[in-house]
Amino acid sequence: MSHAEAHLDKLPPEPEKATLEGRNKVLGFWLFLGGETVLFGTLFATFIALRNSTLDGPSGVELFSLSITAIATFILLTSSLTSVFAIQAMHHKNIKNMLIWLGVTVVLGLGFLGLEIFEFWEYVNHESFGFTTSAFSSSFYALVGFHGAHVALGVLWISLLMIQIKKKGLTTVTAPKIYVASLYWHFIDVVWVFIFTIVYLMGKVG
């Protein structure tokens, strides 16, 4: 048995909660997500209040393409599933599979971002729907763009954690980082479900 395998055998079943520091890290991150929820709630309230303030610009009914948004939603929800597989692999101390599923999560996140950038590009260049076109457009880009920035941050964060795992291995120090990154990823997926429902579906209905 190699030194690395012996080390993994000594890890507890849930290494992210094995130390007080790890448990505090998870608890602190839940508090952080509470603050993020308030922040997104404010942006949602602003969007709902301004969704009909289109001036002479396009409305959601004229603008939104549910086909692209549905594909983006499918990609992001699938990435949430792959992050669950990564945590399961971590609990089984299978570093190789954990890194594979984290890598798939990153790729899917990049796919989502690509579709979102394409959507924004289409709106600005073909629909004359920029950030300052109307109060509706400002609230739309603020909410959806802010979420997209969170996805980009998540992709970067998970990528850096993968590099750290390759260098330092799976320990009671690195495991909580993987776990809270997975929590973060689930959070932005849940936020997107609300965006898809409130912004796109309700916007398409009018």
Side-chain angles (χ1 to χ4, degrees), residues 80-145:
S80 196
L81 181 63
T82 58
S83 71
V84 171
F85 292 157
I87 296 299
Q88 288 180 337
M90 181 180 80
H91 287 162
H92 287 98
K93 304 168 189 175
N94 190 329
I95 296 178
K96 180 182 177 183
N97 283 352
M98 182 184 74
L99 291 174
I100 288 174
W101 286 119
L102 288 176
V104 174
T105 303
V106 166
V107 170
L108 291 171
L110 290 173
F112 173 86
L113 284 174
L115 285 177
E116 190 161 85
I117 291 170
F118 172 75
E119 178 193 27
F120 285 2
W121 186 85
E122 285 280 318
Y123 290 165
V124 172
N125 292 286
H126 293 161
E127 305 292 343
S128 300
F129 185 71
F131 186 82
T132 58
T133 301
S134 63
F136 165 60
S137 70
S138 298
S139 62
F140 168 80
Y141 283 115
L143 174 58
V144 181

Short mmCIF file of all heavy atoms in Angstrom, two decimals, residues 80-145:
data_model
loop_
_atom_site.label_atom_id
_atom_site.label_comp_id
_atom_site.label_asym_id
_atom_site.label_seq_id
_atom_site.Cartn_x
_atom_site.Cartn_y
_atom_site.Cartn_z
N SER A 80 -25.20 20.57 -11.50
CA SER A 80 -25.48 20.39 -10.07
C SER A 80 -25.40 18.91 -9.71
O SER A 80 -24.88 18.53 -8.66
CB SER A 80 -26.87 20.95 -9.74
OG SER A 80 -27.03 21.13 -8.36
N LEU A 81 -25.91 18.07 -10.61
CA LEU A 81 -25.86 16.62 -10.40
C LEU A 81 -24.42 16.12 -10.40
O LEU A 81 -24.03 15.30 -9.56
CB LEU A 81 -26.68 15.91 -11.48
CG LEU A 81 -26.75 14.39 -11.39
CD1 LEU A 81 -27.45 13.96 -10.11
CD2 LEU A 81 -27.48 13.82 -12.61
N THR A 82 -23.60 16.63 -11.33
CA THR A 82 -22.21 16.18 -11.39
C THR A 82 -21.42 16.62 -10.15
O THR A 82 -20.50 15.93 -9.72
CB THR A 82 -21.51 16.69 -12.67
OG1 THR A 82 -21.57 18.13 -12.71
CG2 THR A 82 -22.17 16.13 -13.91
N SER A 83 -21.80 17.77 -9.58
CA SER A 83 -21.12 18.19 -8.34
C SER A 83 -21.52 17.26 -7.18
O SER A 83 -20.71 17.01 -6.28
CB SER A 83 -21.45 19.65 -8.00
OG SER A 83 -22.79 19.79 -7.57
N VAL A 84 -22.75 16.72 -7.21
CA VAL A 84 -23.15 15.72 -6.21
C VAL A 84 -22.29 14.46 -6.37
O VAL A 84 -21.82 13.87 -5.38
CB VAL A 84 -24.64 15.38 -6.35
CG1 VAL A 84 -25.01 14.18 -5.47
CG2 VAL A 84 -25.50 16.57 -5.98
N PHE A 85 -22.10 14.04 -7.63
CA PHE A 85 -21.25 12.86 -7.88
C PHE A 85 -19.83 13.10 -7.36
O PHE A 85 -19.18 12.16 -6.85
CB PHE A 85 -21.21 12.55 -9.38
CG PHE A 85 -22.52 12.06 -9.93
CD1 PHE A 85 -22.82 12.18 -11.28
CD2 PHE A 85 -23.47 11.48 -9.10
CE1 PHE A 85 -24.01 11.72 -11.80
CE2 PHE A 85 -24.68 11.02 -9.61
CZ PHE A 85 -24.96 11.14 -10.96
N ALA A 86 -19.34 14.34 -7.49
CA ALA A 86 -17.99 14.66 -7.00
C ALA A 86 -17.92 14.50 -5.48
O ALA A 86 -16.94 13.93 -4.96
CB ALA A 86 -17.61 16.08 -7.40
N ILE A 87 -18.95 14.95 -4.77
CA ILE A 87 -18.96 14.82 -3.31
C ILE A 87 -19.08 13.35 -2.91
O ILE A 87 -18.43 12.89 -1.96
CB ILE A 87 -20.13 15.64 -2.71
CG1 ILE A 87 -19.90 17.14 -2.96
CG2 ILE A 87 -20.25 15.38 -1.21
CD1 ILE A 87 -18.62 17.68 -2.35
N GLN A 88 -19.89 12.59 -3.65
CA GLN A 88 -19.99 11.15 -3.37
C GLN A 88 -18.64 10.46 -3.55
O GLN A 88 -18.24 9.61 -2.74
CB GLN A 88 -21.04 10.52 -4.27
CG GLN A 88 -22.47 10.89 -3.90
CD GLN A 88 -23.50 10.23 -4.81
OE1 GLN A 88 -23.18 9.85 -5.94
NE2 GLN A 88 -24.72 10.11 -4.33
N ALA A 89 -17.93 10.84 -4.62
CA ALA A 89 -16.60 10.27 -4.86
C ALA A 89 -15.64 10.66 -3.74
O ALA A 89 -14.81 9.86 -3.32
CB ALA A 89 -16.07 10.75 -6.21
N MET A 90 -15.78 11.90 -3.24
CA MET A 90 -14.93 12.34 -2.13
C MET A 90 -15.20 11.49 -0.89
O MET A 90 -14.27 11.07 -0.20
CB MET A 90 -15.19 13.82 -1.82
CG MET A 90 -14.33 14.37 -0.70
SD MET A 90 -14.65 16.11 -0.36
CE MET A 90 -16.15 15.99 0.63
N HIS A 91 -16.48 11.21 -0.62
CA HIS A 91 -16.82 10.39 0.55
C HIS A 91 -16.33 8.96 0.40
O HIS A 91 -16.08 8.28 1.40
CB HIS A 91 -18.34 10.41 0.77
CG HIS A 91 -18.83 11.72 1.31
ND1 HIS A 91 -20.15 12.12 1.25
CD2 HIS A 91 -18.17 12.75 1.92
CE1 HIS A 91 -20.27 13.32 1.79
NE2 HIS A 91 -19.10 13.72 2.20
N HIS A 92 -16.18 8.51 -0.85
CA HIS A 92 -15.62 7.18 -1.10
C HIS A 92 -14.09 7.24 -1.23
O HIS A 92 -13.47 6.22 -1.58
CB HIS A 92 -16.24 6.57 -2.36
CG HIS A 92 -17.66 6.12 -2.18
ND1 HIS A 92 -18.75 6.89 -2.56
CD2 HIS A 92 -18.18 5.00 -1.62
CE1 HIS A 92 -19.86 6.25 -2.26
NE2 HIS A 92 -19.56 5.11 -1.68
N LYS A 93 -13.54 8.43 -1.01
CA LYS A 93 -12.08 8.65 -1.07
C LYS A 93 -11.50 8.29 -2.44
O LYS A 93 -10.36 7.84 -2.55
CB LYS A 93 -11.38 7.85 0.02
CG LYS A 93 -11.91 8.16 1.42
CD LYS A 93 -11.43 7.17 2.44
CE LYS A 93 -12.14 7.38 3.76
NZ LYS A 93 -11.80 6.35 4.76
N ASN A 94 -12.32 8.49 -3.46
CA ASN A 94 -11.89 8.23 -4.83
C ASN A 94 -11.53 9.57 -5.48
O ASN A 94 -12.38 10.25 -6.07
CB ASN A 94 -13.01 7.53 -5.59
CG ASN A 94 -12.55 7.02 -6.94
OD1 ASN A 94 -11.66 7.60 -7.57
ND2 ASN A 94 -13.14 5.93 -7.40
N ILE A 95 -10.27 9.95 -5.33
CA ILE A 95 -9.84 11.28 -5.80
C ILE A 95 -9.96 11.41 -7.32
O ILE A 95 -10.37 12.46 -7.83
CB ILE A 95 -8.38 11.55 -5.36
CG1 ILE A 95 -8.30 11.59 -3.83
CG2 ILE A 95 -7.88 12.86 -5.94
CD1 ILE A 95 -6.90 11.80 -3.30
N LYS A 96 -9.64 10.33 -8.02
CA LYS A 96 -9.69 10.39 -9.49
C LYS A 96 -11.10 10.71 -9.97
O LYS A 96 -11.31 11.62 -10.79
CB LYS A 96 -9.22 9.04 -10.07
CG LYS A 96 -9.24 9.02 -11.58
CD LYS A 96 -8.81 7.64 -12.12
CE LYS A 96 -8.90 7.60 -13.64
NZ LYS A 96 -8.55 6.25 -14.15
N ASN A 97 -12.10 9.97 -9.46
CA ASN A 97 -13.48 10.23 -9.88
C ASN A 97 -13.96 11.60 -9.41
O ASN A 97 -14.72 12.28 -10.12
CB ASN A 97 -14.40 9.14 -9.35
CG ASN A 97 -14.31 7.86 -10.15
OD1 ASN A 97 -13.65 7.83 -11.20
ND2 ASN A 97 -14.93 6.81 -9.67
N MET A 98 -13.52 12.00 -8.22
CA MET A 98 -13.91 13.33 -7.73
C MET A 98 -13.42 14.42 -8.68
O MET A 98 -14.17 15.34 -9.04
CB MET A 98 -13.33 13.56 -6.33
CG MET A 98 -13.72 14.89 -5.71
SD MET A 98 -12.93 15.16 -4.12
CE MET A 98 -11.25 15.53 -4.64
N LEU A 99 -12.16 14.31 -9.12
CA LEU A 99 -11.62 15.32 -10.03
C LEU A 99 -12.31 15.27 -11.39
O LEU A 99 -12.54 16.31 -12.02
CB LEU A 99 -10.11 15.11 -10.19
CG LEU A 99 -9.26 15.43 -8.95
CD1 LEU A 99 -7.81 15.06 -9.18
CD2 LEU A 99 -9.37 16.93 -8.61
N ILE A 100 -12.67 14.05 -11.82
CA ILE A 100 -13.38 13.94 -13.11
C ILE A 100 -14.73 14.65 -13.04
O ILE A 100 -15.08 15.46 -13.91
CB ILE A 100 -13.57 12.45 -13.49
CG1 ILE A 100 -12.23 11.83 -13.90
CG2 ILE A 100 -14.59 12.31 -14.62
CD1 ILE A 100 -12.30 10.33 -14.14
N TRP A 101 -15.49 14.39 -11.96
CA TRP A 101 -16.81 15.02 -11.85
C TRP A 101 -16.71 16.53 -11.64
O TRP A 101 -17.55 17.29 -12.15
CB TRP A 101 -17.61 14.36 -10.74
CG TRP A 101 -18.10 12.99 -11.09
CD1 TRP A 101 -17.81 11.82 -10.45
CD2 TRP A 101 -18.95 12.63 -12.18
NE1 TRP A 101 -18.43 10.76 -11.08
CE2 TRP A 101 -19.13 11.23 -12.15
CE3 TRP A 101 -19.58 13.36 -13.20
CZ2 TRP A 101 -19.92 10.55 -13.08
CZ3 TRP A 101 -20.36 12.69 -14.13
CH2 TRP A 101 -20.52 11.31 -14.06
N LEU A 102 -15.69 16.95 -10.90
CA LEU A 102 -15.49 18.40 -10.76
C LEU A 102 -15.14 19.02 -12.11
O LEU A 102 -15.61 20.12 -12.43
CB LEU A 102 -14.37 18.68 -9.75
CG LEU A 102 -14.69 18.41 -8.27
CD1 LEU A 102 -13.46 18.64 -7.40
CD2 LEU A 102 -15.84 19.31 -7.79
N GLY A 103 -14.33 18.31 -12.89
CA GLY A 103 -13.98 18.80 -14.22
C GLY A 103 -15.20 18.90 -15.13
O GLY A 103 -15.36 19.88 -15.87
N VAL A 104 -16.07 17.89 -15.06
CA VAL A 104 -17.31 17.94 -15.86
C VAL A 104 -18.17 19.12 -15.41
O VAL A 104 -18.77 19.82 -16.24
CB VAL A 104 -18.09 16.61 -15.72
CG1 VAL A 104 -19.45 16.71 -16.41
CG2 VAL A 104 -17.29 15.46 -16.30
N THR A 105 -18.21 19.36 -14.10
CA THR A 105 -18.99 20.49 -13.58
C THR A 105 -18.45 21.81 -14.14
O THR A 105 -19.24 22.69 -14.55
CB THR A 105 -18.91 20.52 -12.03
OG1 THR A 105 -19.40 19.28 -11.52
CG2 THR A 105 -19.74 21.66 -11.46
N VAL A 106 -17.14 21.93 -14.18
CA VAL A 106 -16.52 23.15 -14.72
C VAL A 106 -16.86 23.31 -16.21
O VAL A 106 -17.21 24.41 -16.66
CB VAL A 106 -14.99 23.10 -14.51
CG1 VAL A 106 -14.29 24.17 -15.35
CG2 VAL A 106 -14.65 23.29 -13.04
N VAL A 107 -16.76 22.23 -16.96
CA VAL A 107 -17.05 22.30 -18.40
C VAL A 107 -18.51 22.71 -18.63
O VAL A 107 -18.82 23.56 -19.49
CB VAL A 107 -16.76 20.94 -19.07
CG1 VAL A 107 -17.29 20.91 -20.51
CG2 VAL A 107 -15.26 20.66 -19.06
N LEU A 108 -19.42 22.12 -17.86
CA LEU A 108 -20.84 22.47 -18.00
C LEU A 108 -21.07 23.94 -17.60
O LEU A 108 -21.87 24.64 -18.23
CB LEU A 108 -21.70 21.55 -17.15
CG LEU A 108 -21.77 20.09 -17.63
CD1 LEU A 108 -22.48 19.21 -16.59
CD2 LEU A 108 -22.49 20.00 -18.97
N GLY A 109 -20.37 24.38 -16.57
CA GLY A 109 -20.49 25.79 -16.17
C GLY A 109 -20.02 26.72 -17.28
O GLY A 109 -20.63 27.75 -17.55
N LEU A 110 -18.92 26.34 -17.94
CA LEU A 110 -18.43 27.14 -19.07
C LEU A 110 -19.43 27.13 -20.22
O LEU A 110 -19.62 28.14 -20.90
CB LEU A 110 -17.07 26.60 -19.53
CG LEU A 110 -15.89 26.85 -18.57
CD1 LEU A 110 -14.65 26.11 -19.07
CD2 LEU A 110 -15.61 28.35 -18.44
N GLY A 111 -20.08 25.97 -20.44
CA GLY A 111 -21.11 25.90 -21.48
C GLY A 111 -22.27 26.83 -21.19
O GLY A 111 -22.77 27.52 -22.09
N PHE A 112 -22.69 26.86 -19.92
CA PHE A 112 -23.76 27.78 -19.52
C PHE A 112 -23.34 29.22 -19.77
O PHE A 112 -24.12 30.02 -20.32
CB PHE A 112 -24.09 27.57 -18.05
CG PHE A 112 -25.06 28.56 -17.49
CD1 PHE A 112 -26.42 28.36 -17.61
CD2 PHE A 112 -24.61 29.71 -16.86
CE1 PHE A 112 -27.32 29.30 -17.12
CE2 PHE A 112 -25.49 30.65 -16.36
CZ PHE A 112 -26.85 30.44 -16.49
N LEU A 113 -22.12 29.57 -19.36
CA LEU A 113 -21.65 30.94 -19.54
C LEU A 113 -21.58 31.31 -21.03
O LEU A 113 -21.91 32.45 -21.41
CB LEU A 113 -20.27 31.10 -18.91
CG LEU A 113 -20.24 31.20 -17.38
CD1 LEU A 113 -18.80 31.22 -16.89
CD2 LEU A 113 -20.98 32.45 -16.90
N GLY A 114 -21.15 30.35 -21.86
CA GLY A 114 -21.09 30.62 -23.30
C GLY A 114 -22.46 30.97 -23.87
O GLY A 114 -22.59 31.91 -24.65
N LEU A 115 -23.48 30.20 -23.44
CA LEU A 115 -24.84 30.50 -23.92
C LEU A 115 -25.33 31.85 -23.41
O LEU A 115 -26.01 32.59 -24.13
CB LEU A 115 -25.79 29.38 -23.47
CG LEU A 115 -25.70 28.07 -24.23
CD1 LEU A 115 -26.65 27.04 -23.62
CD2 LEU A 115 -26.04 28.27 -25.71
N GLU A 116 -24.98 32.17 -22.17
CA GLU A 116 -25.43 33.45 -21.61
C GLU A 116 -24.76 34.63 -22.32
O GLU A 116 -25.41 35.64 -22.62
CB GLU A 116 -25.12 33.50 -20.11
CG GLU A 116 -25.77 34.70 -19.43
CD GLU A 116 -25.86 34.50 -17.94
OE1 GLU A 116 -24.87 34.80 -17.26
OE2 GLU A 116 -26.92 34.04 -17.46
N ILE A 117 -23.47 34.49 -22.59
CA ILE A 117 -22.77 35.55 -23.33
C ILE A 117 -23.35 35.71 -24.73
O ILE A 117 -23.55 36.83 -25.21
CB ILE A 117 -21.26 35.23 -23.39
CG1 ILE A 117 -20.65 35.35 -21.99
CG2 ILE A 117 -20.54 36.16 -24.36
CD1 ILE A 117 -19.23 34.82 -21.88
N PHE A 118 -23.65 34.58 -25.38
CA PHE A 118 -24.26 34.63 -26.71
C PHE A 118 -25.63 35.33 -26.64
O PHE A 118 -25.97 36.14 -27.51
CB PHE A 118 -24.43 33.20 -27.26
CG PHE A 118 -25.22 33.13 -28.53
CD1 PHE A 118 -24.66 33.52 -29.74
CD2 PHE A 118 -26.55 32.69 -28.52
CE1 PHE A 118 -25.41 33.47 -30.91
CE2 PHE A 118 -27.30 32.63 -29.68
CZ PHE A 118 -26.73 33.02 -30.89
N GLU A 119 -26.40 35.01 -25.61
CA GLU A 119 -27.71 35.64 -25.44
C GLU A 119 -27.58 37.15 -25.30
O GLU A 119 -28.29 37.92 -25.97
CB GLU A 119 -28.40 35.06 -24.21
CG GLU A 119 -29.77 35.68 -23.92
CD GLU A 119 -30.28 35.30 -22.53
OE1 GLU A 119 -29.45 35.03 -21.64
OE2 GLU A 119 -31.50 35.33 -22.34
N PHE A 120 -26.68 37.59 -24.43
CA PHE A 120 -26.47 39.02 -24.23
C PHE A 120 -26.01 39.69 -25.52
O PHE A 120 -26.43 40.79 -25.85
CB PHE A 120 -25.43 39.25 -23.12
CG PHE A 120 -25.93 38.99 -21.73
CD1 PHE A 120 -27.22 38.53 -21.50
CD2 PHE A 120 -25.11 39.21 -20.63
CE1 PHE A 120 -27.69 38.29 -20.21
CE2 PHE A 120 -25.57 38.98 -19.34
CZ PHE A 120 -26.86 38.52 -19.14
N TRP A 121 -25.11 39.02 -26.24
CA TRP A 121 -24.58 39.58 -27.50
C TRP A 121 -25.73 39.76 -28.51
O TRP A 121 -25.80 40.78 -29.21
CB TRP A 121 -23.52 38.64 -28.06
CG TRP A 121 -22.82 39.17 -29.28
CD1 TRP A 121 -21.74 40.00 -29.32
CD2 TRP A 121 -23.17 38.90 -30.65
NE1 TRP A 121 -21.40 40.27 -30.61
CE2 TRP A 121 -22.24 39.61 -31.45
CE3 TRP A 121 -24.15 38.15 -31.26
CZ2 TRP A 121 -22.30 39.58 -32.84
CZ3 TRP A 121 -24.21 38.11 -32.64
CH2 TRP A 121 -23.29 38.82 -33.42
N GLU A 122 -26.61 38.77 -28.58
CA GLU A 122 -27.75 38.87 -29.49
C GLU A 122 -28.66 40.03 -29.10
O GLU A 122 -29.12 40.79 -29.97
CB GLU A 122 -28.56 37.56 -29.44
CG GLU A 122 -27.92 36.40 -30.17
CD GLU A 122 -28.17 36.49 -31.67
OE1 GLU A 122 -29.31 36.81 -32.05
OE2 GLU A 122 -27.23 36.26 -32.44
N TYR A 123 -28.93 40.17 -27.81
CA TYR A 123 -29.81 41.24 -27.35
C TYR A 123 -29.23 42.61 -27.69
O TYR A 123 -29.95 43.50 -28.16
CB TYR A 123 -30.03 41.14 -25.84
CG TYR A 123 -30.87 39.97 -25.40
CD1 TYR A 123 -30.89 39.58 -24.07
CD2 TYR A 123 -31.63 39.24 -26.30
CE1 TYR A 123 -31.66 38.49 -23.64
CE2 TYR A 123 -32.39 38.16 -25.90
CZ TYR A 123 -32.40 37.79 -24.57
OH TYR A 123 -33.16 36.72 -24.17
N VAL A 124 -27.95 42.80 -27.44
CA VAL A 124 -27.31 44.11 -27.64
C VAL A 124 -27.19 44.44 -29.12
O VAL A 124 -27.49 45.56 -29.55
CB VAL A 124 -25.93 44.14 -26.94
CG1 VAL A 124 -25.18 45.42 -27.32
CG2 VAL A 124 -26.08 44.03 -25.44
N ASN A 125 -26.75 43.47 -29.92
CA ASN A 125 -26.42 43.75 -31.33
C ASN A 125 -27.60 43.60 -32.28
O ASN A 125 -27.63 44.26 -33.32
CB ASN A 125 -25.28 42.82 -31.78
CG ASN A 125 -23.97 43.16 -31.08
OD1 ASN A 125 -23.33 44.17 -31.40
ND2 ASN A 125 -23.59 42.35 -30.13
N HIS A 126 -28.56 42.74 -31.97
CA HIS A 126 -29.67 42.51 -32.90
C HIS A 126 -31.00 43.06 -32.40
O HIS A 126 -31.93 43.26 -33.19
CB HIS A 126 -29.81 41.02 -33.18
CG HIS A 126 -28.66 40.45 -33.94
ND1 HIS A 126 -28.38 39.10 -33.97
CD2 HIS A 126 -27.69 41.05 -34.68
CE1 HIS A 126 -27.30 38.89 -34.71
NE2 HIS A 126 -26.86 40.06 -35.15
N GLU A 127 -31.11 43.27 -31.09
CA GLU A 127 -32.39 43.74 -30.54
C GLU A 127 -32.29 45.15 -29.95
O GLU A 127 -33.30 45.68 -29.47
CB GLU A 127 -32.87 42.78 -29.44
CG GLU A 127 -32.99 41.32 -29.87
CD GLU A 127 -34.10 41.10 -30.89
OE1 GLU A 127 -34.97 41.99 -31.02
OE2 GLU A 127 -34.08 40.04 -31.55
N SER A 128 -31.09 45.74 -30.01
CA SER A 128 -30.85 47.09 -29.43
C SER A 128 -31.33 47.14 -27.98
O SER A 128 -32.01 48.08 -27.57
CB SER A 128 -31.57 48.15 -30.28
OG SER A 128 -31.09 48.16 -31.59
N PHE A 129 -30.99 46.09 -27.25
CA PHE A 129 -31.42 45.96 -25.86
C PHE A 129 -30.18 46.00 -24.98
O PHE A 129 -29.63 44.98 -24.59
CB PHE A 129 -32.18 44.64 -25.70
CG PHE A 129 -32.77 44.42 -24.32
CD1 PHE A 129 -33.86 45.15 -23.89
CD2 PHE A 129 -32.25 43.44 -23.47
CE1 PHE A 129 -34.41 44.94 -22.63
CE2 PHE A 129 -32.80 43.21 -22.22
CZ PHE A 129 -33.88 43.97 -21.81
N GLY A 130 -29.72 47.23 -24.68
CA GLY A 130 -28.53 47.40 -23.86
C GLY A 130 -28.89 47.65 -22.41
O GLY A 130 -30.07 47.73 -22.03
N PHE A 131 -27.85 47.84 -21.59
CA PHE A 131 -28.07 48.03 -20.15
C PHE A 131 -28.89 49.29 -19.87
O PHE A 131 -29.71 49.32 -18.94
CB PHE A 131 -26.72 48.11 -19.44
CG PHE A 131 -26.83 48.17 -17.94
CD1 PHE A 131 -27.00 47.01 -17.19
CD2 PHE A 131 -26.76 49.39 -17.28
CE1 PHE A 131 -27.12 47.06 -15.80
CE2 PHE A 131 -26.87 49.45 -15.89
CZ PHE A 131 -27.05 48.29 -15.16
N THR A 132 -28.69 50.35 -20.68
CA THR A 132 -29.37 51.63 -20.42
C THR A 132 -30.59 51.84 -21.31
O THR A 132 -31.12 52.95 -21.36
CB THR A 132 -28.38 52.78 -20.63
OG1 THR A 132 -27.87 52.72 -21.98
CG2 THR A 132 -27.22 52.70 -19.65
N THR A 133 -31.04 50.83 -22.03
CA THR A 133 -32.19 50.99 -22.92
C THR A 133 -33.44 51.39 -22.15
O THR A 133 -34.22 52.25 -22.58
CB THR A 133 -32.45 49.68 -23.69
OG1 THR A 133 -31.29 49.35 -24.44
CG2 THR A 133 -33.65 49.84 -24.62
N SER A 134 -33.67 50.76 -21.01
CA SER A 134 -34.86 51.02 -20.20
C SER A 134 -34.60 50.54 -18.77
O SER A 134 -33.59 49.88 -18.50
CB SER A 134 -36.08 50.30 -20.78
OG SER A 134 -35.87 48.88 -20.73
N ALA A 135 -35.52 50.89 -17.89
CA ALA A 135 -35.40 50.40 -16.51
C ALA A 135 -35.49 48.87 -16.50
O ALA A 135 -34.82 48.20 -15.70
CB ALA A 135 -36.49 51.01 -15.64
N PHE A 136 -36.34 48.31 -17.40
CA PHE A 136 -36.45 46.86 -17.51
C PHE A 136 -35.12 46.23 -17.91
O PHE A 136 -34.69 45.23 -17.31
CB PHE A 136 -37.53 46.53 -18.56
CG PHE A 136 -37.50 45.10 -19.03
CD1 PHE A 136 -37.68 44.05 -18.15
CD2 PHE A 136 -37.32 44.82 -20.38
CE1 PHE A 136 -37.66 42.73 -18.59
CE2 PHE A 136 -37.30 43.51 -20.84
CZ PHE A 136 -37.47 42.47 -19.94
N SER A 137 -34.44 46.81 -18.90
CA SER A 137 -33.17 46.23 -19.35
C SER A 137 -32.11 46.33 -18.25
O SER A 137 -31.32 45.40 -18.05
CB SER A 137 -32.68 46.92 -20.62
OG SER A 137 -32.26 48.24 -20.36
N SER A 138 -32.09 47.45 -17.52
CA SER A 138 -31.09 47.60 -16.45
C SER A 138 -31.30 46.55 -15.37
O SER A 138 -30.33 45.93 -14.90
CB SER A 138 -31.20 49.00 -15.83
OG SER A 138 -30.93 49.99 -16.79
N SER A 139 -32.56 46.35 -14.98
CA SER A 139 -32.83 45.36 -13.93
C SER A 139 -32.57 43.94 -14.43
O SER A 139 -32.12 43.08 -13.68
CB SER A 139 -34.27 45.49 -13.43
OG SER A 139 -35.20 45.25 -14.47
N PHE A 140 -32.83 43.70 -15.73
CA PHE A 140 -32.58 42.38 -16.31
C PHE A 140 -31.08 42.06 -16.30
O PHE A 140 -30.66 41.00 -15.82
CB PHE A 140 -33.10 42.34 -17.75
CG PHE A 140 -32.64 41.12 -18.53
CD1 PHE A 140 -33.28 39.90 -18.37
CD2 PHE A 140 -31.56 41.21 -19.40
CE1 PHE A 140 -32.85 38.78 -19.06
CE2 PHE A 140 -31.13 40.10 -20.11
CZ PHE A 140 -31.78 38.88 -19.94
N TYR A 141 -30.26 42.98 -16.84
CA TYR A 141 -28.82 42.71 -16.90
C TYR A 141 -28.21 42.66 -15.50
O TYR A 141 -27.26 41.90 -15.26
CB TYR A 141 -28.12 43.77 -17.75
CG TYR A 141 -28.30 43.56 -19.22
CD1 TYR A 141 -29.00 44.48 -20.00
CD2 TYR A 141 -27.79 42.43 -19.86
CE1 TYR A 141 -29.17 44.30 -21.37
CE2 TYR A 141 -27.95 42.23 -21.22
CZ TYR A 141 -28.64 43.17 -21.97
OH TYR A 141 -28.81 42.96 -23.32
N ALA A 142 -28.73 43.49 -14.58
CA ALA A 142 -28.19 43.47 -13.21
C ALA A 142 -28.43 42.11 -12.56
O ALA A 142 -27.51 41.53 -11.95
CB ALA A 142 -28.84 44.57 -12.38
N LEU A 143 -29.63 41.57 -12.71
CA LEU A 143 -29.97 40.28 -12.08
C LEU A 143 -29.29 39.11 -12.79
O LEU A 143 -28.57 38.32 -12.15
CB LEU A 143 -31.49 40.09 -12.08
CG LEU A 143 -32.00 38.72 -11.59
CD1 LEU A 143 -31.53 38.43 -10.18
CD2 LEU A 143 -33.52 38.67 -11.68
N VAL A 144 -29.51 38.99 -14.09
CA VAL A 144 -28.97 37.84 -14.83
C VAL A 144 -27.45 37.91 -14.93
O VAL A 144 -26.75 36.90 -14.80
CB VAL A 144 -29.62 37.75 -16.23
CG1 VAL A 144 -29.09 36.52 -16.98
CG2 VAL A 144 -31.14 37.66 -16.11
N GLY A 145 -26.92 39.13 -15.13
CA GLY A 145 -25.48 39.30 -15.20
C GLY A 145 -24.80 39.01 -13.87
O GLY A 145 -23.71 38.43 -13.84
#
